[in-house]
Structures are given as structure tokens and as C-alpha cells.
Amino acid sequence: MVREPLVEVSVVIAAPTEAVWHALVDPDTRAMWWSYLDLDARVNGRLSERWSGADGEARLTTGRVETLDPCRLLRFTWADDDWAVSTTVTIELTRARPGTQLRVRETGWSRLPDGANLAAAHRDGWGAHVEDLRRFAEATGGPR
């Protein structure tokens, strides 16, 4: 039996859960730490991320919000422009000392050719995004 590749990144952010959530879902705030992601943060809302591949070629990732539970859970589909199927990304927030535990999981890799390698690349990518969010939320403390 082959194990499903899993992308999972977790961090504790020294900021209130409400501030971390706001940084994720508010377009103006999110633009300060992830400027190239457009996200309509409501169920069935669309998302798009325009980025450049290692070869410099323009790429597009798209998806749709499946679940939204304010200050707790955001789940959406995720597919690069050359993928036949989407993965599922789940972002969970829980209260923790000294602030908020944030966990990102991306699943569905077994349905993609070269899923294990794609998962490894996405693990690195989500790690970078999570670190950007952590630095931003801790520096700003979010809305009070």
C-alpha cells in the first residue's frame, strides 16, 4: 500500500486568533504579507494566485472556498493551471499560548501525476507563507 503524500505545516503565532484570522481573510490586510493571492473569503468564493515558476513563466493557481468557520477554519480547493484535479487545503486556527496555533494541511496528492514531488514543493511553499503570516501578525498584533 502506498501512503498518500501529506503537506502539513504548523506554527504558534504570538497574536490573537482574531488578528490571525483577519490577516488571512481581509483582502487589504492579506495584501501586506501575501500580495499576489486574491481570495473571496466566503463559501463558494473564488481564489487565484498569480506567480512565476522557476523558469520565470507566469503561472496561475485557482480554487474555491468550500468551508469557512470564522476564526477557526478555512478550507478550499487548490489547482495549478496545469493540473487535471485539485488538492484540498485546510487552514485551522486554535487558541494556544502565547496566541494562536495555525495548521495548514493540503491533501489529494495521490490523484496527481508526480504527487509526491509536488507535495514536497508545496510543503516548502506553505512553510514560507506561514512564516510570512507569523512575522506579519506578530509585528502588527492585528486589529484591536
Side-chain angles (χ1 to χ4, degrees):
M1 182 173 151
V2 177
R3 271 185 77 175
E4 165 79 19
L6 173 67
V7 171
E8 186 166 27
V9 179
S10 182
V11 67
V12 173
I13 301 172
T17 302
E18 295 78 10
V20 176
W21 180 258
H22 185 79
L24 279 169
V25 301
D26 179 75
D28 295 331
T29 306
R30 187 181 52 257
M32 290 186 248
W33 66 274
W34 193 353
S35 62
Y36 50 98
L37 176 71
D38 290 319
L39 169 64
D40 179 4
R42 59 189 168 124
V43 174
N44 290 319
R46 298 289 178 186
L47 70 86
S48 64
E49 181 194 44
R50 295 185 184 283
W51 53 285
S52 296
D55 58 3
E57 185 176 331
R59 303 294 307 269
L60 176 64
T61 299
T62 58
R64 183 183 57 80
V65 175
E66 295 182 327
T67 307
L68 188 136
D69 184 359
C71 294
R72 295 187 46 185
L73 179 78
L74 176 63
R75 179 175 296 125
F76 49 87
T77 60
W78 186 270
D80 288 352
D81 50 11
D82 59 349
W83 294 3
V85 297
S86 299
T87 58
T88 300
V89 176
T90 303
I91 300 175
E92 293 178 281
L93 303 178
T94 55
R95 295 191 194 283
R97 292 191 189 268
T100 304
Q101 173 87 39
L102 179 132
R103 183 174 81 159
V104 177
R105 290 176 52 118
E106 188 172 6
T107 59
W109 300 105
S110 62
R111 300 176 314 182
L112 288 164
D114 203 23
N117 287 330
L118 288 169
H122 277 238
R123 191 173 300 109
D124 292 344
W126 283 115
H129 291 312
V130 164
E131 181 59 18
D132 289 345
L133 173 55
R134 183 196 65 75
R135 280 195 308 264
F136 174 80
E138 289 181 356
T140 63
R144 303 218 188 276

